[in-house]
Amino acid sequence: MTYCVGLLLDAGMVLLSDTRTNAGLDNIATYRKMFTFEDAGERVITVLTAGSLSVTQTTIARLREAIEDDDATGETSIMLAPTMLKVAEIIGNTLASVREDIDHKMNATKVSVSASMIVAGQRAGGAMRMFLVYPEGNFIEATEDTPFLQIGEHKYGKPILDRVVKPSTSIEDAQKAVLLSMDSTLRSNLSVGMPLDLAVIERDACRVSSRRRIEAKDPDFARMSEAWSNALREGFSQIEL
Amino acid sequence: MTYCVGLLLDAGMVLLSDTRTNAGLDNIATYRKMFTFEDAGERVITVLTAGSLSVTQTTIARLREAIEDDDATGETSIMLAPTMLKVAEIIGNTLASVREDIDHKMNATKVSVSASMIVAGQRAGGAMRMFLVYPEGNFIEATEDTPFLQIGEHKYGKPILDRVVKPSTSIEDAQKAVLLSMDSTLRSNLSVGMPLDLAVIERDACRVSSRRRIEAKDPDFARMSEAWSNALREGFSQIEL
C-alpha cells in the first residue's frame, strides 16, 4: 500500500508521500512515489502515485517520453499543456491507457491492476490546482471546502486533516499536519513505510520551494512524532468522561 | 457500515457500538447492534454486530431460539455452554450457517452478504474473554498484547486506541478512549451514526455493570468531543516543525 496526501492552501501546496512498495508481505521495497516536472518560474507539476508499481512507473515514463518528444505539443506534453486542467487530462489519459494495457496482459491470471495519482501544479499566470486522478483517467479537484486530497491508505490519517486543515492554514502548520497524518498511518499500517518525501510549492513561485527526504531515523520527525503522542496522551488525560 | 469496538482490560470489558444501518445511501435507519445475554452473577455475554442486517438479526434470533429450546444443551445454547470458547464456537457456527443460507438465496442477484461479530463475556469461575468472529465462523481472541477488537469501519478510530489502550487502562479511561475513537469515526464517515450504545462489564461481576445509550444531542458526549477537538488543536499548535 501507500499513503500520499496533498494540501491546496492559500499560501501554497504541501505534498507528502511514503516510499513503501510491496508485492505480497514478503517482498517489500522502497520506491519514490513523488515525481516533479519543473521549468522553474514558468511551470511546476508534482505527481504523487499509489497503486501497482508497473502501472505508475510506466505512466511516469510515458509522460517523460511525451515531454522529450521532438513533436511534443500542448496536447501531448504536460510541460506544454495550456492549462493545469489539460495537464490533469493528459495524465489521466496516459494512466488509463497504461492501466488498460497492463490489465489486458494480466487477464490470463485474473489479477487486476490499478493506480491513482495526485497531480499538483501551477503555470505562470494561472492558479495553483490540485487533482486526484482515478485509475479510469477521470479526476476530481481540491477546492476551498475540501482543501486536501489523499490516495492509498487514507483513513488512519484523515481525522487530523479533517480537524486542522483549512485554506488559511500556514505552510508550516500544513507540513506539521501532513507529517502527523502520516505518523498515524505509519503506526497503524505496516504497508506504509519510511522514508518520506515532503515537498512545498509556494503560491506563484512555479517551482518546488522546498523538498525534504525524511529517513527512518530522522531526529526531527521522531521528536515531532513523540511530541504528538505526548500531546494526545496529555489531552486525553485532561478530558472528563 | 458500522463501527463497534471492544476493550479487554484487567479491570473489565468496555464495549461501544453505533446504530446506523443503510441499504444504499438513500435508505438509512437506526438498529441496535449490541445484544446482551445475561444470567446475572452467573454469566454475561455481549455481542456486537457488523454487516448485513438480515444476517446479524437472523443470527441473534437463532441464538435466542437455541437458548429457549426445551432440549437446549451446552452444545447448542450459549447460556449453557461450558466455556466462553464454546460460546464463541456456537456463535461462529450459527453466523456461518445463517450467512451461507442467505448467500445462497442471494446467488441469483450476484450480491454477497457477510457479517462479523465481537463476542465478550464471562461465566462465574472463568476468565473474561473477548472474540472477533469472522463471517466464516472462525474467530480470534483479544490478548494482553492486543487488548482491543474492532469491526466495521475501524480505521479512523484505531490511532487513538493504538496510543492509549493497555490492559492496565482504567474503566473510566477506557470509556473515554472508545468514545473518542467513535468520535473520530463519526466525523470522517457518514455511514457510522448516533445514537451509540456503551456497556461496561466489570471483572468477575458476570453482569453488565453499566449501560448507556448516547443520543445524538447528548450533552456529555458533545462536551467530550469538543474538549478533544480543542486538545488536539492545542497540542497541534504547540508542536514545532
Side-chain angles (χ1 to χ4, degrees):
Chain A
M1 278 297 282
T2 290
Y3 178 46
C4 298
V5 52
L7 271 47
L8 175 66
L9 309 167
D10 298 340
M13 298 188 286
V14 174
L15 303 149
L16 181 68
S17 60
D18 83 316
T19 52
R20 183 155 296 174
T21 303
N22 64 305
L25 270 173
D26 53 353
N27 188 355
I28 289 178
T30 298
Y31 281 94
R32 173 173 285 271
K33 301 172 188 172
M34 180 184 285
F35 303 89
T36 296
F37 303 85
E38 190 179 87
D39 175 4
E42 285 302 316
R43 175 179 306 231
V44 60
I45 300 163
T46 295
V47 180
L48 309 179
T49 64
S52 303
L53 190 61
S54 67
V55 175
T56 59
Q57 282 190 337
T58 307
T59 303
I60 296 292
R62 288 214 193 150
L63 291 173
R64 286 222 175 93
E65 272 185 7
I67 291 168
E68 287 156 15
D69 193 298
D70 290 338
D71 302 328
T73 69
E75 288 295 313
T76 60
S77 160
I78 58 173
M79 295 307 281
L80 298 176
T83 62
M84 274 304 298
L85 187 74
K86 188 71 199 173
V87 168
E89 257 180 55
I90 294 173
I91 294 177
N93 291 342
T94 309
L95 171 60
S97 119
V98 170
R99 192 188 62 84
E100 241 175 78
D101 284 1
I102 298 183
D103 228 17
H104 195 71
K105 289 177 188 156
M106 306 292 281
N107 253 349
T109 56
K110 308 232 178 212
V111 174
S112 173
V113 296
S114 188
S116 54
M117 300 188 169
I118 290 174
V119 177
Q122 187 176 19
R123 59 180 178 84
M128 296 183 299
R129 295 178 78 170
M130 188 179 292
F131 302 89
L132 192 167
V133 182
Y134 291 109
E136 295 75 13
N138 56 331
F139 46 81
I140 60 171
E141 185 169 2
T143 64
E144 279 224 342
D145 290 328
T146 304
F148 62 87
L149 295 171
Q150 304 170 288
I151 51 177
E153 189 57 90
H154 65 282
K155 294 186 181 184
Y156 301 109
K158 186 163 180 285
I160 170 96
L161 301 179
D162 280 334
R163 279 191 165 95
V164 306
V165 177
K166 296 187 294 267
S168 60
T169 300
S170 71
I171 295 286
E172 189 181 332
D173 276 358
Q175 291 182 77
K176 274 162 52 177
V178 294
L179 287 170
L180 296 176
S181 171
M182 179 64 81
D183 185 51
S184 292
T185 312
L186 291 168
R187 275 172 191 259
S188 292
N189 192 318
L190 268 188
S191 72
V192 177
M194 309 272 281
L196 311 175
D197 289 307
L198 175 67
V200 174
I201 299 172
E202 283 171 21
R203 168 185 286 276
D204 298 333
C206 293
R207 61 163 60 82
V208 174
S209 313
S210 79
R211 195 191 312 253
R212 183 174 151 205
R213 169 151 285 206
I214 300 167
E215 298 289 344
K217 294 191 175 169
D218 185 278
D220 287 333
F221 185 69
R223 176 188 48 71
M224 186 186 289
S225 166
E226 176 71 18
W228 183 234
S229 277
N230 291 341
L232 287 179
R233 273 193 286 263
E234 176 71 13
F236 181 80
S237 73
Q238 284 176 6
I239 286 175
E240 283 173 40
L241 186 63
Chain B
M1 278 295 281
T2 289
Y3 178 47
C4 298
V5 53
L7 271 49
L8 175 66
L9 309 166
D10 298 340
M13 298 187 286
V14 174
L15 303 148
L16 180 68
S17 60
D18 83 315
T19 53
R20 184 154 296 175
T21 303
N22 64 304
L25 271 174
D26 53 354
N27 188 355
I28 289 178
T30 298
Y31 281 95
R32 173 173 284 271
K33 299 172 190 172
M34 180 183 288
F35 302 90
T36 297
F37 302 85
E38 189 180 86
D39 175 3
E42 286 301 316
R43 175 179 307 231
V44 61
I45 300 162
T46 295
V47 180
L48 308 179
T49 64
S52 302
L53 190 60
S54 67
V55 175
T56 60
Q57 282 190 336
T58 306
T59 303
I60 297 292
R62 287 212 193 151
L63 292 173
R64 287 223 174 92
E65 271 184 8
I67 291 168
E68 287 156 13
D69 193 299
D70 291 337
D71 302 328
T73 69
E75 288 296 313
T76 60
S77 161
I78 58 172
M79 294 309 280
L80 298 176
T83 62
M84 275 302 299
L85 187 73
K86 188 70 200 172
V87 168
E89 257 180 57
I90 294 173
I91 294 177
N93 291 341
T94 308
L95 171 60
S97 119
V98 169
R99 193 189 60 84
E100 242 174 78
D101 284 1
I102 298 183
D103 228 16
H104 194 73
K105 289 178 187 153
M106 306 292 282
N107 252 349
T109 55
K110 308 229 178 212
V111 174
S112 174
V113 296
S114 187
S116 54
M117 300 189 170
I118 291 174
V119 177
Q122 187 175 20
R123 61 182 176 82
M128 297 182 297
R129 296 178 76 172
M130 188 180 290
F131 302 90
L132 193 168
V133 182
Y134 292 109
E136 294 76 13
N138 57 331
F139 46 82
I140 60 169
E141 186 170 0
T143 64
E144 280 222 344
D145 290 329
T146 305
F148 62 87
L149 295 171
Q150 304 170 290
I151 51 176
E153 188 57 271
H154 64 281
K155 294 186 179 182
Y156 301 110
K158 189 163 179 283
I160 169 97
L161 301 178
D162 280 336
R163 279 190 163 97
V164 306
V165 177
K166 296 186 294 268
S168 60
T169 300
S170 71
I171 293 286
E172 190 181 333
D173 276 357
Q175 291 181 77
K176 274 162 51 178
V178 293
L179 288 170
L180 296 176
S181 171
M182 179 65 81
D183 185 52
S184 293
T185 312
L186 291 167
R187 274 171 192 262
S188 292
N189 192 316
L190 266 189
S191 72
V192 177
M194 307 274 280
L196 312 175
D197 289 307
L198 175 67
V200 174
I201 299 172
E202 285 172 18
R203 168 186 286 276
D204 298 334
C206 292
R207 60 162 60 81
V208 174
S209 313
S210 79
R211 196 192 309 254
R212 183 174 150 206
R213 169 150 285 204
I214 300 166
E215 298 289 345
K217 295 195 173 165
D218 184 280
D220 288 333
F221 185 70
R223 175 188 48 71
M224 185 186 289
S225 166
E226 176 71 19
W228 182 234
S229 278
N230 291 341
L232 288 178
R233 273 192 285 262
E234 176 70 12
F236 181 82
S237 73
Q238 284 177 6
I239 287 175
E240 283 173 40
L241 186 63

